[in-house]
Amino acid sequence: MTKFLLAVHVLAAIVAIGPVTVAASMFPPAARRALAAPDDTRAAETVQLLHRICKVYAVVGVVVPVFGFATASTMGVLGSAWLIVSIALTALAALVLAALVLPAQTALVEGAGDREKTVRLAMFTGVFNLLWAAVTILMIIRPGSTTGA
């Protein structure tokens, strides 16, 4: 059962978190292009599509920690320091996405924004991506691992 839960956890992370990180990273430059050319419907559609990807996959991403907790429970590592740090970083990443990235994207999609907001959004997105990178590294290297790595 542990291998199944771990496989689902890893696949969910790839399928759900990957698109959010990529689409969120693409959003600020796309928004700048849309702001620079307000009559360009294709630029506006691109921004809307990237925002939709971020919103949908953010919801789907809830599956990642659910299966992560199930996996950690079956492995008996719920009290491990590396896991507790990973959980805290995951919660912080979710907070950054929900409180900073998605609202800023929504404002830009709705036309309430300027170049300065896209720069700030790029910073928030970078923080979100760095948090996920740190979680990924902890999940691979995890101190006390029995993988021999």
Side-chain angles (χ1 to χ4, degrees):
M1 182 54 94
T2 301
K3 289 181 182 181
F4 171 76
L5 291 171
L6 181 59
V8 173
H9 173 63
V10 171
L11 285 171
I14 292 167
V15 170
I17 306 305
V20 174
T21 58
V22 172
S25 296
M26 293 173 65
F27 188 95
R32 282 192 284 276
R33 282 191 298 278
L35 287 169
D39 296 332
D40 185 353
T41 58
R42 187 173 179 137
E45 290 169 354
T46 299
V47 168
Q48 290 170 353
L49 175 63
L50 291 170
H51 182 53
R52 189 174 328 119
I53 290 168
C54 290
K55 287 191 311 184
V56 169
Y57 282 96
V59 173
V60 173
V62 171
V63 171
V64 176
V66 168
F67 279 95
F69 275 110
T71 303
S73 178
T74 63
M75 291 175 69
V77 295
L78 280 174
S80 298
W82 66 268
L83 184 64
I84 293 167
V85 171
S86 293
I87 291 168
L89 293 175
T90 298
L92 186 56
L95 181 66
V96 168
L97 182 64
L100 301 172
V101 174
L102 292 176
Q105 286 183 352
T106 299
L108 286 161
V109 166
E110 293 174 352
D114 55 16
R115 180 169 172 71
E116 182 180 322
K117 285 192 179 191
T118 67
V119 171
R120 195 171 318 116
L121 174 58
M123 179 189 65
F124 296 150
T125 301
V127 169
F128 171 75
N129 290 344
L130 285 173
L131 289 166
W132 275 116
V135 170
T136 302
I137 290 167
L138 282 170
M139 292 292 155
I140 293 169
I141 296 178
R142 64 180 202 252
S145 170
T146 58
T147 62

